Amino acid sequence: MKYLKICIFTALLTFGCLSADAQAIKVQQLSDNHAMLRVETNSRYLLLPVEEKEDNARVRILKDGHLLQTLNCRLAIDKMDYYVPLELTKSEGNDILLDISFTGNRRFTGSLKDFACWKLMKDSDAFNTANREKFRPSYHHTPLWGWMNDPNGMFYKDGEWHLYYQYNPYGSQWENMTWGHSVSTDLVHWKHLPNAIVPDDLGTIFSGSCVVDSANTAGFGRGTVIAFYTSNGENQVQSMAYSTDNGRTFTKYSGNPIITSDVPDFRDPHVFWNHEAKMWNMILAAGQEMRIYSSGNLKDWTFESSFGQGYGSHAGVWECPDLMELPVSGTNQRKWLLICNINPGGPAGGSATQYFVGQFDGHKFTCESKPETKKWLDYGKDHYATVTFNDAPEGRHVALAWMSNWQYGNQVPTMQYRSANSVPRDLGLYEYQGETYASVSPSKELLGLRGKKISHPTSVCEITAKVKGNCVLTLKNGKGEYVQLAYDAKNRTFSMDRRKSGDTSFSEAFPTKTTAPVNGRISQLRIFIDHSSIEAFDADGKMAMTNLVFPTVPYDKLVVKGKATTRIFSLGK
């Protein structure tokens, strides 16, 4: 560790300085909840110690009297759970001022001068991201550290799948929303890149989308990647940024915000090129409806219509929309699928993804089902904020979801990171008994993970089951923990019971049995297991169910009852 000089200012404008590795630190403070630290270092990072049970402290970073950044961090008071890195750029030099304000009741936490963070804070040229978590997935996307929720801004360009995501770099619980960034050439192996879009004076960076402006309609150049996102400040407004280096770095548009409203929940713009209407469309969430806009230049937007009043579930706020045209399997028809994520109000409690099918002419979406009809893309508890990649090859519509639930997302038993994305899924449409439904199938790239056939399940594997009637598949371990997956052919349902799956203590909402309707019959199941998740699919796409599990040791036994034969494959990364 290089020498780090920390100065804690007192109310008398005197100060003492100690190196971070001192055994004790005796200080006075500006008040019982306010301190200032001057940090002098040539290192790349200042490592901030986090204690998750504490309240957020507000950290303002200043250089020469100018505010560079404001963030919230649960700085350690009694003990440290983990470090997070505050990156110090060359432009900041080796002398910055941290202005830190604490919340919470000091009667319980003691004197500010005795907080653990002063003893543990240190500088470093490196930050160790080696995995420390036994529950971290192997072939699902996760952040290297910190909190992640909604996938954002996904697009395909020049052989790369770009995934941005809601990210907190300064802790493993929701806060400081930023667009993190990862890229992949196969939807399975992900390379982590620097954060793409960071908070500014308009607010933190909420969910949105990206498009490739191939025709230069916005005037930033052909092939420019343009991001649309919600600036979450005093009110939620829509902003844009553009990238001329394939989405690696973005410049924020000087005319931000581009759309405003007086609706409190006004967010998550999804933009796409409408080939038939020959214009750009945007769909975004406004309270409990979706609003549709059009544009010719991506800067100036015209409101076209709203959808949602009286349709589907309204048990929670509508969020993260998507809208796409798809062929209907076995017919010559094409229809539009409108994805609407909702929290709460899901079929298993908490957050979930509902959808509507109908027609869209670039101006208005018309749902073909009765208003009271509810359709869900996934019937597990851990599938939310589902959106698709723009410009996917071969006309595909590939979706990812946040693999958690707002009922307990901040409490799941990991600390280095929290949350993963689902496996990629290809979407389609099919008809059943006079209704049109969305089909959800594991993307073909997952076949590339398949290794040899193995005799028993492991923490990372795929199980396939040929089904001829009622059956129950039970995954078990030597600790008495198990998950039951059951197909009821007569009642046309599939269920997953995780009530005895392992650690369920962190939330009363976690131990549950989820049940999905099956439109028709299942002939084959595909079940993906990855350390802390189980995703089950009907191979024909008629059912999907995603649930987290936290077994104390991996499930290593599969018990099959009923009319099913199974095979188990290792999955290599």
Side-chain angles (χ1 to χ4, degrees):
M1 183 183 74
K2 294 184 179 180
Y3 177 72
L4 170 65
K5 187 177 181 182
I6 297 181
C7 303
I8 301 188
F9 291 78
T10 73
L12 299 176
L13 300 181
T14 62
F15 60 88
C17 300
L18 292 174
S19 63
D21 55 358
Q23 294 301 307
I25 186 166
K26 185 177 181 180
V27 300
Q28 297 181 43
Q29 62 269 358
L30 295 170
S31 70
D32 65 352
N33 66 352
H34 187 198
M36 287 186 177
L37 286 76
R38 187 168 299 283
V39 178
E40 298 179 7
T41 179
N42 290 317
S43 296
R44 181 178 178 183
Y45 299 109
L46 177 65
L47 301 185
L48 305 177
V50 173
E51 185 176 3
E52 286 202 339
K53 74 177 179 63
E54 295 302 334
D55 295 320
N56 275 310
R58 187 188 68 166
V59 182
R60 300 171 71 242
I61 302 160
L62 299 98
K63 171 72 173 177
D64 299 330
H66 297 289
L67 181 64
L68 301 177
Q69 182 182 357
T70 300
L71 60 94
N72 294 321
C73 184
R74 298 172 185 267
L75 291 175
I77 291 178
D78 296 317
K79 64 179 183 65
M80 182 185 73
D81 292 323
Y82 51 81
Y83 280 114
V84 293
L86 173 63
E87 188 164 10
L88 307 174
T89 65
K90 292 181 180 179
S91 63
E92 293 167 2
N94 62 0
D95 185 351
I96 60 172
L97 181 68
L98 271 61
D99 182 356
I100 303 177
S101 299
F102 291 87
T103 58
N105 192 327
R106 296 282 77 80
R107 290 177 297 174
F108 298 110
T109 56
S111 175
L112 183 148
K113 67 182 177 61
D114 297 324
F115 286 1
C117 55
W118 315 132
K119 304 178 182 70
L120 297 170
M121 200 176 295
K122 63 182 182 180
D123 64 339
S124 177
D125 279 328
F127 178 64
N128 185 6
T129 60
N131 182 42
R132 304 189 300 271
E133 301 281 357
K134 72 174 183 177
F135 291 127
R136 186 188 287 271
S138 173
Y139 57 89
H140 291 74
H141 173 267
T142 60
L144 287 176
W145 76 89
W147 164 272
M148 179 182 75
N149 56 291
D150 307 359
N152 294 162
M154 303 190 305
F155 70 95
Y156 178 87
K157 186 176 187 289
D158 298 338
E160 286 185 321
W161 302 86
H162 289 257
L163 166 62
Y164 304 88
Y165 49 90
Q166 291 285 277
Y167 183 47
N168 179 13
Y170 305 113
S172 296
Q173 295 177 320
W174 186 94
E175 192 60 61
N176 304 306
M177 286 294 95
T178 296
W179 273 26
H181 187 199
S182 299
V183 295
S184 175
T185 57
D186 62 3
L187 288 172
V188 174
H189 302 86
W190 293 94
K191 178 181 178 182
H192 297 276
L193 297 177
N195 294 334
I197 305 180
V198 300
D200 56 28
D201 290 342
L202 282 175
T204 52
I205 312 302
F206 273 23
S207 296
S209 60
C210 286
V211 298
V212 179
D213 188 13
S214 301
N216 192 26
T217 59
F220 299 122
R222 292 184 181 274
T224 296
V225 176
I226 302 182
F228 298 87
Y229 58 90
T230 298
S231 295
N232 183 57
E234 185 173 349
N235 290 288
Q236 294 181 345
V237 298
Q238 313 315 313
S239 297
M240 65 182 285
Y242 60 94
S243 170
T244 57
D245 59 0
N246 271 5
R248 263 64 178 177
T249 60
F250 284 86
T251 301
K252 291 173 181 172
Y253 176 50
S254 61
N256 285 337
I258 56 172
I259 304 177
T260 62
S261 172
D262 59 358
V263 177
D265 295 304
F266 182 67
R267 54 180 176 261
D268 313 336
H270 192 100
V271 176
F272 61 95
W273 176 253
N274 190 320
H275 293 278
E276 292 185 2
K278 300 289 189 285
M279 62 183 178
W280 296 101
N281 277 128
M282 174 193 291
I283 181 170
L284 61 81
Q288 289 194 336
E289 67 178 19
M290 298 303 180
R291 293 187 179 177
I292 295 168
Y293 297 79
S294 65
S295 176
N297 62 9
L298 292 170
K299 300 173 182 176
D300 303 303
W301 292 89
T302 300
F303 171 73
E304 296 285 354
S305 63
S306 297
F307 168 78
Q309 186 173 356
Y311 280 84
S313 174
H314 288 267
V317 175
W318 284 21
E319 297 184 306
C320 302
D322 201 346
L323 184 59
M324 70 208 75
E325 188 180 28
L326 295 165
V328 182
S329 179
T331 75
N332 294 322
Q333 301 179 75
R334 296 181 68 85
K335 296 182 180 181
W336 286 78
L337 173 68
L338 191 159
I339 290 176
C340 169
N341 293 276
I342 183 172
N343 176 53
S351 40
T353 305
Q354 68 175 329
Y355 68 88
F356 306 90
V357 178
Q359 296 298 329
F360 178 60
D361 61 2
H363 306 281
K364 181 180 180 181
F365 175 81
T366 303
C367 182
E368 67 178 24
S369 300
K370 294 180 180 179
E372 64 269 22
T373 302
K374 297 181 179 67
K375 298 178 181 179
W376 303 96
L377 205 61
D378 188 293
Y379 280 82
K381 278 189 74 81
D382 299 303
H383 182 275
Y384 189 61
T386 313
V387 288
T388 61
F389 288 88
N390 276 334
D391 298 319
E394 304 169 17
R396 298 167 63 191
H397 292 270
V398 180
L400 288 180
W402 177 50
M403 198 162 58
S404 195
N405 192 305
W406 280 115
Q407 288 182 326
Y408 44 73
N410 280 291
Q411 288 81 44
V412 296
T414 62
M415 278 199 175
Q416 182 185 23
Y417 80 100
R418 275 197 179 87
S419 300
N421 291 120
S422 69
V423 294
R425 302 138 189 254
D426 277 56
L427 304 183
L429 296 173
Y430 69 97
E431 293 181 336
Y432 179 72
Q433 294 185 348
E435 284 281 349
T436 306
Y437 294 92
S439 63
V440 182
S441 302
S443 296
K444 62 183 180 180
E445 286 80 2
L446 292 168
L447 291 172
L449 283 175
R450 272 194 190 175
K452 62 183 180 179
K453 184 179 176 182
I454 54 180
S455 59
H456 59 84
T458 65
S459 58
V460 181
C461 65
E462 179 188 354
I463 300 171
T464 63
K466 290 186 177 180
V467 178
K468 295 184 178 179
N470 290 3
C471 62
V472 178
L473 311 181
T474 304
L475 289 158
K476 306 173 66 175
N477 63 23
K479 299 291 186 178
E481 299 162 352
Y482 63 89
V483 179
Q484 283 191 337
L485 300 92
Y487 171 53
D488 185 330
K490 180 180 178 180
N491 293 313
R492 296 178 180 173
T493 62
F494 178 87
S495 65
M496 189 185 306
D497 188 342
R498 69 175 183 192
R499 287 175 288 187
K500 302 294 184 181
S501 58
D503 184 2
T504 65
S505 63
F506 53 88
S507 170
E508 292 181 355
F510 190 82
T512 189
K513 177 181 178 180
T514 56
T515 302
V518 176
N519 295 329
R521 63 180 297 271
I522 291 178
S523 59
Q524 185 179 32
L525 287 166
R526 294 182 67 187
I527 302 163
F528 292 86
I529 300 170
D530 192 357
H531 290 293
S532 56
S533 64
I534 300 176
E535 293 164 277
F537 299 87
D538 164 38
D540 294 328
K542 297 190 297 291
M543 183 280 302
M545 184 174 289
T546 301
N547 282 316
L548 296 176
V549 291
F550 298 98
T552 56
V553 295
Y555 307 121
D556 57 2
K557 186 176 182 180
L558 175 65
V559 178
V560 181
K561 293 183 178 181
K563 299 178 180 180
T565 57
T566 61
R567 294 193 300 171
I568 307 173
F569 298 93
S570 64
L571 292 179
K573 190 171 181 181

